[in-house]
Amino acid sequence: MQQQALVFALIGILGIGAQWIAWRTGWPAIALMLAAGVLAGPVAGLVVPEHTFGDLLEPMVSVAVALILFEGGLSLNFRELRRTEGAVTRLMVIGIPVGWVLGTLACYYIAGLVWPVAVLFAGILVVTGPTVVIPLLRQSNVAPRPRAILKWEAIVNDPFGALCAVITYEYLRRVDEGGTLLSVLAALLAAAVVAGLIGYGVARAIAWAFPRGHVPEYLKAPVLLVAVIGTFVLSNLIQQETGLLAVTVMGVAIANMRLDSLRDIHPFKENVTVLLISGVFVLLSASLDFNVLRQFEWRFIAYLLALLFLVRPATVLLSLAFSKIPWNERLLVAWIAPRGVVAVAMSGLFALRLDQLGYGNGSILVTLSFSVVVATIVAHGFSIRYVARWLGVLGARKRGLLIVGSTPWSLSLADQLRQLEVPVMIADTSWQRLSMARQAGIPTYHGEILAESTEERLDLAQFQVLVATTDSEAYNALVCSEFAPDIGRDSVYQLGGMGDDEDHRSLPEALRGRAMFTSGLGVAEIMERERAGWTFRKTRLSEQFDFADACAALPEEADILFLLRKDGKIRFFTHASRPAPQPGDIVVSYGPSRHGEPEGLRIANEKKEATA
């Protein structure tokens, strides 16, 4: 018992630690998690999943994959699907059969597998999988449409890959009993339809119960979690491996029923998914057996090359032929296809079953599946940014700043940012208030920033910082609270909002954005300073002219607003935090105009600008 607890703790540390290192370094998280599991498992022997968990290992991994697929389904909105110009439908209807056939030929003629095993393994490999694709997309700056295509394909194709393997296995199992392929397909199709109906039925039940108060708020997340596990297990009782289809349908259905309760559950389900992806990936890579890897043959390298450079590209290009998807986006989708948890888990499961049926190549599937996972993770994980840049399908090159509220002060701030070559956009509900921004050539967004349609019309991935500057401090706080989970609580700022949590008249800090300026200036104070002619000033720091010199050169009333680092990151000075300025940073302040300032201060400012 104590040993299992220690292993659980170690798996958590390794998985989340790998994700944190990936965040700090920009390296692919999936590659780091794979390396962590291998080091902890076969290399150091600290984590031996089969010994620690025994027969519980397979159901643990299966339930975790089901929860990951459900959470992925919750992120699939049909509005986003329309953006893919039918690409996801093509990759399902055309891509799965084409990939299955081409993969089978590669398995048989290149890897040397017997026909039955080749067909089954190729069916497993039609999947990519959210456990690897989602972390990859989270760390890369891919344009919205190919990002949506890769995400939808990873989540939707996952259960169909399992069904391809099940079809093959059931046919092999029943062929000696006189079963035909048609009868197997009919039985499995019926089971898949039933599983999909179960998933949809549970989704409808949740959509009916949650808004009507039949489930209290504190139980909604636990009820949803138990419902997913129950749906998965029930569907698998009807037909093995249809549970993945059921939970995917359940997630997609709930995502498109517009349940208000899901907004509150979103942080919980996202955190659970990060934990599960980290834990499962470390577990499976720790299960790698070097003795099994000794079965690796040189012809497998040729098979991996064929999988990377022939099977996947041909599958995607044939599927998207004559579509509206531009060629550069097709090529990116054709290259990116990392395999992960589902491929390894399914291969291990069916390897045992094939051995029982007397197919000797079954044990090779474990070796080959891990080889595919490692090859695709390394190849795609480390190359996606460079390939996307080469093909011209990156998002915004420099992540900019979103200003909510068109006011004289926000227009001045936007103009200052443009001078610093920082991308900026102003959002407002009033077309008239945005007129000055449009005349100045500043990008604008006309609409309610809190509306659901904003997700479809505005790509938030292009912004590293949000600043709420409307004349309502309460609305500013609402905007910051809404977008904090997407952009980051440390990256949403507002005018006003600084208050005393002990004061019942002020908003609690948890509901506010970071109050801009170290003095926490509010909307009224900013408007007063604007009328008095206050302006922005920028100063580049150096070894000879540091932050203290920059502050000394400012008028006494001036406030430091933000600094722009050499790598393009923006950090604001707030009442609660103060970034550490470094040589090369540009510091932007807001203070009285220079008209009428003391001669000594004017000379100091001119000297400062001369050295900048």
Side-chain angles (χ1 to χ4, degrees):
M1 184 68 179
Q2 186 175 6
Q3 182 185 7
Q4 290 176 330
L6 288 173
V7 171
F8 265 119
L10 183 58
I11 290 171
I13 292 170
L14 290 173
I16 299 303
Q19 296 251 28
W20 183 82
I21 293 173
W23 170 72
R24 293 291 296 178
T25 62
W27 296 345
I30 49 177
L32 293 175
M33 289 187 287
L34 179 68
V38 171
L39 290 175
V43 174
L46 298 175
V47 178
V48 185
E50 294 84 354
H51 175 72
T52 305
F53 303 109
D55 294 337
L56 289 176
L57 180 61
E58 184 182 324
M60 282 170 50
V61 171
S62 298
V63 170
V65 171
L67 291 169
I68 292 167
L69 277 177
F70 170 74
E71 197 279 334
L74 285 179
S75 67
L76 299 182
N77 192 295
F78 287 136
R79 292 196 301 268
E80 184 182 53
L81 181 61
R82 288 192 289 269
R83 271 192 251 167
T84 66
E85 303 285 354
V88 175
T89 305
R90 286 168 167 265
L91 288 171
M92 288 176 58
V93 176
I94 302 174
I96 291 177
V98 169
W100 196 0
V101 170
L102 295 179
T104 298
L105 295 175
C107 287
Y108 179 75
Y109 287 107
I110 302 177
L113 302 181
V114 297
W115 275 116
V117 179
V119 174
L120 187 144
F121 188 56
I124 293 174
L125 292 186
V126 300
V127 307
T128 49
T131 57
V132 284
V133 171
I134 289 176
L136 201 62
L137 294 176
R138 185 181 291 125
Q139 291 184 273
S140 58
N141 187 26
V142 177
R145 182 165 50 197
R147 173 187 291 269
I149 293 172
L150 289 169
K151 184 177 75 171
W152 269 86
E153 181 199 17
I155 295 169
V156 174
N157 276 12
D158 231 28
F160 288 102
L163 287 177
C164 291
V166 172
I167 289 171
T168 307
Y169 171 75
E170 289 297 323
Y171 173 73
L172 295 175
R173 186 174 67 84
R174 297 181 190 180
V175 69
D176 292 334
E177 303 170 1
T180 64
L181 179 60
L182 187 60
S183 65
V184 170
L185 284 173
L188 287 177
L189 180 61
V193 170
V194 172
L197 290 175
I198 290 174
Y200 183 77
V202 175
R204 291 296 301 178
I206 289 172
W208 178 84
F210 278 20
R212 289 169 174 78
H214 295 299
V215 179
E217 290 298 323
Y218 74 95
L219 280 182
K220 285 182 177 178
V223 165
L224 196 60
L225 194 65
V226 171
V228 174
I229 297 174
T231 301
F232 173 72
V233 173
L234 177 61
S235 300
N236 273 351
L237 288 176
I238 298 172
Q239 172 62 57
Q240 192 69 21
E241 310 307 333
T242 59
L244 296 179
L245 177 63
V247 297
T248 304
V249 170
M250 179 181 170
V252 175
I254 291 177
N256 291 277
M257 290 176 182
R258 298 185 178 181
L259 288 180
D260 293 336
S261 303
L262 288 182
R263 302 175 74 86
D264 301 325
I265 296 172
H266 178 78
F268 169 80
K269 67 181 182 62
E270 191 174 57
N271 293 338
V272 168
T273 303
V274 170
L275 286 169
L276 289 175
I277 289 176
S278 303
V280 170
F281 218 88
V282 171
L283 258 179
L284 290 177
S285 53
S287 302
L288 184 60
D289 188 346
F290 282 149
N291 292 324
V292 174
L293 282 184
R294 291 192 180 97
Q295 300 179 33
F296 188 88
E297 302 176 15
W298 287 109
R299 61 182 173 178
F300 291 170
I301 295 179
Y303 167 75
L304 294 174
L305 293 174
L307 189 68
L308 289 171
F309 296 102
L310 294 177
V311 176
R312 171 66 178 181
T315 299
V316 173
L317 295 179
L318 286 173
S319 301
L320 301 183
F322 308 108
S323 70
K324 296 180 181 179
I325 307 300
W327 271 100
N328 56 345
E329 295 183 8
R330 295 187 206 181
L331 292 173
L332 179 70
V333 175
W335 171 242
I336 302 301
R339 274 68 168 191
V341 168
V342 173
V344 175
M346 294 291 291
S347 298
L349 174 64
F350 283 104
L352 296 175
R353 295 179 181 178
L354 288 172
D355 284 339
Q356 293 170 0
L357 293 179
Y359 293 96
N361 283 156
S363 59
I364 298 179
L365 290 189
V366 178
T367 305
L368 206 52
S369 64
F370 266 109
S371 303
V372 170
V373 168
V374 172
T376 55
I377 283 176
V378 172
H380 302 144
F382 284 100
S383 67
I384 183 170
R385 292 182 182 178
Y386 304 104
V387 173
R389 183 182 299 114
W390 179 63
L391 292 173
V393 290
L394 283 175
R397 290 181 177 270
K398 291 177 67 176
R399 296 179 66 201
L401 186 143
L402 175 62
I403 300 175
V404 179
S406 182
T407 66
W409 185 82
S410 66
L411 288 170
S412 299
L413 174 61
D415 183 64
Q416 187 67 44
L417 289 164
R418 287 206 306 169
Q419 292 180 32
L420 296 171
E421 298 182 349
V422 174
V424 62
M425 178 180 288
I426 298 180
D428 203 293
T429 56
S430 170
W431 183 259
Q432 183 178 3
R433 285 196 296 266
L434 288 172
S435 62
M436 292 295 292
R438 293 194 301 272
Q439 292 173 17
I442 299 171
T444 62
Y445 174 79
H446 178 228
E448 173 54 67
I449 196 70
L450 297 174
E452 283 191 22
S453 59
T454 299
E455 296 181 15
E456 183 178 0
R457 300 170 57 195
L458 185 61
D459 179 22
L460 291 175
Q462 61 183 304
F463 304 113
Q464 58 170 305
V465 170
L466 179 145
V467 175
T469 64
T470 72
D471 56 6
S472 170
E473 295 186 7
Y475 182 78
N476 292 341
L478 179 61
V479 169
C480 290
S481 179
E482 175 67 20
F483 287 98
D486 297 312
I487 298 179
R489 185 157 294 279
D490 293 331
S491 299
V492 289
Y493 304 91
Q494 70 171 94
L495 283 179
M498 180 179 176
D500 184 359
D501 283 343
E502 300 298 326
D503 185 355
H504 69 278
R505 295 169 299 179
S506 64
L507 288 171
E509 186 172 354
L511 298 180
R512 304 190 301 258
R514 301 287 187 258
M516 300 168 67
F517 299 106
T518 53
S519 58
L521 289 176
V523 173
E525 291 87 353
I526 286 292
M527 293 175 64
E528 182 181 339
R529 284 162 173 72
E530 276 292 301
R531 287 192 292 267
W534 282 39
T535 59
F536 291 96
R537 302 178 190 177
K538 56 181 180 292
T539 302
R540 185 181 297 276
L541 304 182
S542 64
E543 296 288 350
Q544 296 75 28
F545 194 86
D546 60 15
F547 184 65
D549 296 327
C551 291
L554 292 174
E556 185 177 349
E557 305 94 331
D559 272 294
I560 302 294
L561 180 56
F562 67 87
L563 60 81
L564 175 65
R565 299 203 184 278
K566 290 184 289 186
D567 59 3
K569 290 184 179 179
I570 302 171
R571 301 305 300 172
F572 279 80
F573 288 80
T574 74
H575 72 289
S577 65
R578 173 174 161 170
Q582 303 167 359
D585 293 347
I586 296 176
V587 176
V588 175
S589 60
Y590 183 64
S593 64
R594 294 184 179 180
H595 179 69
E597 67 185 6
E599 180 68 14
L601 181 59
R602 183 184 63 78
I603 295 173
N605 282 329
E606 291 176 353
K607 177 182 177 182
K608 168 198 68 178
E609 291 178 349
T611 59

